[in-house]
Amino acid sequence: MNNITRTQAIGVIAGREDKDQAVGVPNIDSYYGEDVFSVDVMKEYLPKDVAQHLIATIEDGDPINPAIAADVAHAMKQWAIARGATHFTHWFQPLTGSTAEKHDSFLEPQGMQAIMRFSGKNLITSEPDASSFPSGGLRCTFEARGYTVWDPTSPAFIKRHPNGATLCIPTAYCAYTGEALDKKTPLLRSRQALKKAVTRLMKCFGLDEQKVTITLGAEQEYFLIDKSFFLNRPDIIQTGRTLFGASPAKHQQLEDHYFGSIKPRVLAFMTDVEKALWKLGIPAKTRHNEVAPAQFELAPLFEEVNLAVDHNMLVMEVLRQQANKHDFVCLLHEKPFSGVNGSGKHNNWSINYGNMNLLEPGSDPFQNAIFMTVLVSIMEAVDTHADLLRSTVTGAGNDHRLGANEAPPAIISIFLGDMLTAVIDELEANGSGCSCRKETMKLGVDVLPPLPKDTTDRNRTSPFAFTGNKFEFRAPGSSHSCAGPMMILNTIVADAMNGLSDKIEQFSSDVDFNDQLHELLRERIITHKRVIFNGDNYSAEWKEEAEHRGLPILSNTPSALAEFKSAKNIALLEKYGVLSAKEVESRYEVFMEEYSRKIRIEAEISLELARTVFLPAIRKEYNQALTALTHTPSDAAWVGSLKSNVGTLGACLQNLIEESNKLESDLDENNDMYQVFLQMQSVRECVDKAEKWVTDSEWPLPKYREMLFIY
Ligand code: ADP
Ligand code: MG
């Protein structure tokens, strides 16, 4: 496959058949969640009291009693073996951004007798060693012990493969000293902090303690290209994106792909993806074509945040696997193709208190006072910690996307919509002591006007938008884990809520509660309303305006990551026990290192392809043009045109050689990675220009118009 030409690849693709399995597909309800150690399974496999205890841990966050571990482990083993599992693994999320697993079989033979064992200890903790995962200096290799610890709040599940199955136990991963080495641990800590803060704030409103659930619905964008093209593109194989490729005449200008009818071959793939997800109890809900050609989206129904984060990791894995089965490759990179939209992962986030969605404007004055208080706390959180929020969506891939006129900009602001902004303005205008205008709103007395939930009202350019009953954080990249952004969002909102609770708890009992609350929110609105922006986030004027407002503009990974470890942000993360200063520092190291390494890899493969793949093709074209010129009588009318053709190709050669040499020396001298990145772009420009001149059949790699349109 690897040595087939572009044209042959197209032939292969033309001959592909849709792997459609629509015939005889069983009803969803017959297999939904069948590979999950769910509450129903627990009830079936566990003694009643043990099941009750475990369910209380999962649903109400009660601490787990280690004494039940043996029973749970036994039940899990029985259930998993009945489903064909031979192995178990602690499934965790190291700082690489992907998931990790190390399988052990249940087998503990006695003589020639195969005994299948899985103990309580096996369930609760494991020591996978795993010394090669990045720790940012938290571990030295000689004491590289890393531990995984069972997270009972995310159910165990079974991963199938053609020859069997593995029982996967979601776990947190930490060092011998207890420091977090993964993405889950701080997420769980932040969840705890926000739950506490919400409970406290609701108490200020006189509400009884209820269960707090933080919810996340993660929309996932991705590209599909045919495997035959993929195998012909060393840049995609090595970096996940095209490092070269001229824009085709038609790309996304006509916007005819967005929400278009889905090609049968893609639909067959999507059907298999959904089936695999539904078996895992992942509520895949929406599927559609996205704006760029060959770009698609999958959105599940929202779930509890920790579960949703785990599920999104599985969504990405299933997309890749099923793509392979359908002779596609699923590209989760934030910017696989330049000149067309990149891919994001919209994090829809909200908070439930009992049955009440705190971000759902209510129908009576009391509920609206709560809604406005929560809204203002989020406003305060995002304004105070815009830099920290921005630092969670960094990465070499997402740098291409943020601010590239297709995705939210690198400036964090909030979209509230005209009506809600008007409400905020009214609250601000209606200060106590002012001669209240009649039309202004009075908190706890008036009812909010009905807010539109219609999608047409949404501002798609905003990085952080209120969408009727939730906020949608749109800056995370398609390949990111949601854990980082969610961890920070939970923490900053917890802090802002606690700040409000501090004040509310001190309210005087002699003055009307609503009047005091009104004044408090008003003061916060005045301080933080600069973060609200309902206009076009892509416009150049916004950048100027944001600068004027003093909002942080962190346009790339190094500048944004530097903020992650500012004194203010470390103090906040330490205050809530989400990350210690040492953990922040280590994460900073890991993420910066990853950024530099990724750019270096891209630069090295750019250089190699420039010299060994593109240069020879351009040289050949040049030689042919030169030969044509030497065979042309010097008095021919077209000799001038031929000369100019030779000149163009010669200049292409010259530029490519020079720019490549410059890239090599930048790499050798270990120059600033941003410099290397820019030089890589210069090399690319030479190649992309040549692509428009070299004989089509001689162009060595699949072109954009092929990868994006032939599938
Ligand atoms: P759009 O593309 O218009 O933003 P989608 O339907 O594609 O809308 O995605 C919306 C996402 O928001 C879904 O995952 C949905 O389940 C999720 N969502 C809806 N309500 C909430 C909520 N209260 N909390 C978190 N996520 C929510
Ligand atoms: Mg959306």
Side-chain angles (χ1 to χ4, degrees):
M1 178 82 78
N2 229 341
N3 280 327
I4 65 173
T5 63
R6 270 170 55 214
T7 329
Q8 285 166 333
I10 295 171
V12 170
I13 298 161
R16 292 212 197 280
E17 286 175 15
D18 306 338
K19 292 189 180 156
D20 207 338
Q21 302 183 348
V23 189
V25 172
N27 286 338
I28 302 177
D29 64 359
S30 69
Y31 62 88
Y32 187 80
E34 72 173 11
D35 287 340
V36 185
F37 192 72
S38 61
V39 167
D40 287 343
V41 177
M42 288 169 200
K43 286 182 182 159
E44 187 187 331
Y45 278 78
L46 283 168
K48 206 168 168 202
D49 55 327
V50 177
Q52 268 171 357
H53 180 86
L54 186 57
I55 292 165
T57 298
I58 296 164
E59 293 185 348
D60 307 326
D62 292 358
I64 187 92
N65 175 1
I68 70 165
D71 280 340
V72 178
H74 179 74
M76 272 185 191
K77 182 191 75 180
Q78 297 300 99
W79 170 78
I81 289 175
R83 312 206 63 75
T86 50
H87 289 67
F88 68 92
T89 182
H90 278 196
W91 182 77
F92 59 104
Q93 296 161 35
L95 296 179
T96 53
S98 36
T99 57
E101 46 193 76
K102 175 187 172 198
H103 300 188
D104 280 303
S105 72
F106 293 118
L107 182 68
E108 278 183 22
Q110 281 179 5
M112 278 304 124
Q113 222 199 336
I115 307 282
M116 303 296 256
R117 282 234 163 82
F118 183 56
S119 67
K121 186 177 168 291
N122 289 155
L123 169 63
I124 288 189
T125 175
S126 163
E127 202 185 292
D129 181 3
S131 52
S132 294
F133 286 118
S135 78
L138 279 184
R139 302 181 303 165
C140 322
T141 5
F142 67 86
E143 44 147 31
R145 293 269 170 260
Y147 288 85
T148 48
V149 183
W150 180 32
D151 167 20
T153 63
S154 180
F157 57 91
I158 283 172
K159 258 202 217 175
R160 296 177 176 284
H161 57 89
N163 290 327
T166 306
L167 169 66
C168 299
I169 297 140
T171 53
Y173 175 52
C174 51
Y176 179 67
T177 45
E179 271 130 356
L181 295 172
D182 70 345
K183 305 224 168 184
K184 186 189 269 280
T185 307
L187 174 71
L188 295 179
R189 295 169 179 166
S190 75
R191 182 176 72 174
Q192 199 56 31
L194 181 55
K195 281 184 175 188
K196 253 175 98 173
V198 170
T199 308
R200 183 176 166 206
L201 186 63
M202 291 304 110
K203 207 172 157 205
C204 293
F205 285 89
L207 293 181
D208 291 339
E209 185 160 343
Q210 300 218 31
K211 187 178 156 189
V212 181
T213 314
I214 302 150
T215 52
L216 165 66
E219 300 164 54
Q220 177 71 52
E221 292 179 336
Y222 59 92
F223 280 83
L224 289 178
I225 61 166
D226 192 275
K227 208 191 275 180
S228 301
F229 288 143
F230 171 78
L231 294 172
N232 271 299
R233 292 284 316 209
D235 47 355
I236 308 185
I237 294 175
Q238 293 255 294
T239 71
R241 75 175 179 105
T242 54
L243 299 171
F244 299 97
S247 259
K250 176 182 190 269
H251 42 92
Q252 66 181 43
Q253 313 93 315
L254 304 180
E255 297 188 332
D256 50 352
H257 191 252
Y258 189 55
F259 283 11
S261 79
I262 304 169
K263 286 191 186 186
R265 190 178 160 211
V266 174
L267 203 48
F269 152 80
M270 288 177 167
T271 310
D272 272 351
V273 167
E274 287 159 345
K275 214 166 126 190
L277 293 177
W278 289 335
K279 281 187 178 176
L280 288 166
I282 300 173
K285 175 82 173 162
T286 307
R287 61 189 188 202
H288 63 81
N289 287 1
E290 257 302 336
V291 173
Q295 191 188 27
F296 309 91
E297 179 180 305
L298 180 157
L301 277 177
F302 67 92
E303 298 179 282
E304 189 282 321
V305 65
N306 175 42
L307 185 62
V309 167
D310 283 359
H311 278 173
N312 178 255
M313 298 308 290
L314 288 170
V315 164
M316 291 194 281
E317 183 174 325
V318 167
L319 282 171
R320 286 203 183 93
Q321 273 170 355
Q322 294 296 330
N324 189 44
K325 188 171 136 194
H326 287 261
D327 296 312
F328 283 122
V329 172
C330 176
L331 305 178
L332 291 168
H333 192 284
E334 282 76 18
K335 193 74 179 178
F337 300 96
S338 86
V340 297
N341 280 8
S343 299
K345 172 148 31 203
H346 298 174
N347 281 214
N348 295 272
W349 171 93
S350 188
I351 307 167
N352 271 50
Y353 193 66
N355 290 327
M356 176 169 56
N357 177 352
L358 296 181
L359 284 170
E360 175 106 45
S363 48
D364 62 64
F366 177 68
Q367 276 187 22
N368 287 334
I370 294 179
F371 168 75
M372 289 309 297
T373 308
V374 171
L375 188 76
V376 168
S377 72
I378 295 171
M379 207 172 120
E380 175 172 355
V382 174
D383 182 38
T384 312
H385 300 292
D387 51 355
L388 187 54
L389 202 53
R390 168 67 182 91
S391 76
T392 65
V393 294
T394 54
N398 217 22
D399 274 5
H400 293 279
R401 197 180 145 252
L402 297 182
N405 280 10
E406 51 158 279
I411 307 162
I412 301 287
S413 66
I414 299 181
F415 168 82
L416 285 184
D418 291 340
M419 292 188 67
L420 200 49
T421 306
V423 171
I424 292 273
D425 288 345
E426 283 176 27
L427 274 187
E428 185 196 338
N430 188 2
S432 65
C434 81
S435 55
C436 300
R437 287 179 292 140
K438 202 157 180 271
E439 67 272 22
T440 56
M441 184 181 157
K442 210 153 174 294
L443 202 67
V445 178
D446 292 337
V447 187
L448 285 175
L451 300 172
K453 257 178 244 164
D454 178 24
T455 47
T456 51
D457 180 60
R458 296 183 187 181
N459 180 333
R460 301 245 160 221
T461 68
S462 173
F464 198 85
F466 181 71
T467 51
N469 58 355
K470 61 188 186 299
F471 273 98
E472 184 172 342
F473 187 26
R474 301 202 182 102
S478 47
S479 71
H480 290 173
S481 157
C482 301
M486 289 296 101
M487 159 193 58
I488 295 303
L489 188 55
N490 292 343
T491 310
I492 63 178
V493 173
D495 193 50
M497 284 184 170
N498 282 332
L500 291 177
S501 294
D502 284 343
K503 296 279 182 191
I504 300 173
E505 283 162 4
Q506 301 302 318
F507 277 0
S508 154
S509 52
D510 303 335
V511 186
D512 180 62
F513 176 88
N514 284 324
D515 283 351
Q516 296 179 80
L517 180 66
H518 192 134
E519 200 45 42
L520 174 63
L521 297 192
R522 188 170 166 266
E523 172 204 305
R524 295 296 209 263
I525 289 169
I526 291 169
T527 315
H528 299 293
K529 71 173 184 186
R530 63 172 189 168
V531 76
I532 296 174
F533 180 63
N534 293 328
D536 179 1
N537 283 252
Y538 298 169
S539 68
E541 295 86 68
W542 169 231
K543 203 174 164 199
E544 262 176 49
E545 167 69 17
E547 238 166 62
H548 180 70
R549 293 189 191 185
L551 300 179
I553 302 180
L554 304 162
S555 48
N556 54 39
T557 293
S559 64
L561 268 184
E563 295 304 318
F564 177 49
K565 56 168 191 165
S566 73
K568 166 191 83 107
N569 291 334
I570 290 182
L572 174 79
L573 292 163
E574 288 214 302
K575 178 174 170 193
Y576 289 97
V578 172
L579 288 172
S580 68
K582 218 168 136 192
E583 287 170 330
V584 170
E585 190 61 46
S586 70
R587 261 152 227 259
Y588 171 81
E589 292 297 323
V590 170
F591 299 149
M592 272 309 284
E593 185 80 23
E594 178 191 280
Y595 169 80
S596 309
R597 283 183 184 163
K598 278 192 175 162
I599 295 200
R600 177 164 274 278
I601 290 169
E602 288 187 349
E604 284 179 6
I605 192 86
S606 283
L607 183 61
E608 184 186 334
L609 293 181
R611 283 180 176 163
T612 65
V613 174
F614 295 114
L615 204 59
I618 304 167
R619 201 161 45 216
K620 192 167 170 193
E621 190 73 26
Y622 170 80
N623 284 339
Q624 279 171 359
L626 201 59
T627 309
L629 183 64
T630 49
H631 285 101
T632 303
S634 58
D635 57 352
W638 53 90
V639 82
S641 301
L642 287 186
K643 267 190 186 155
S644 133
N645 187 213
V646 170
T648 303
L649 288 163
C652 274
L653 276 179
Q654 182 194 4
N655 292 339
L656 184 55
I657 293 168
E658 286 174 7
E659 298 293 352
S660 302
N661 289 346
K662 172 98 186 10
L663 180 60
E664 184 175 37
S665 58
D666 280 350
L667 273 169
D668 285 348
E669 289 157 23
N670 231 338
N671 274 347
D672 173 42
M673 276 302 136
Y674 190 60
Q675 174 58 39
V676 170
F677 173 78
L678 291 179
Q679 186 54 31
M680 207 160 72
Q681 300 284 99
S682 304
V683 173
R684 176 182 187 145
E685 274 165 32
C686 302
V687 172
D688 291 358
K689 183 173 177 207
E691 190 185 319
K692 302 279 185 190
W693 285 90
V694 169
T695 306
D696 183 59
S697 58
E698 298 293 326
W699 192 252
L701 302 191
K703 294 185 172 181
Y704 270 31
R705 62 159 195 261
E706 294 158 348
M707 290 185 285
L708 289 170
F709 289 94
I710 303 177
Y711 59 89

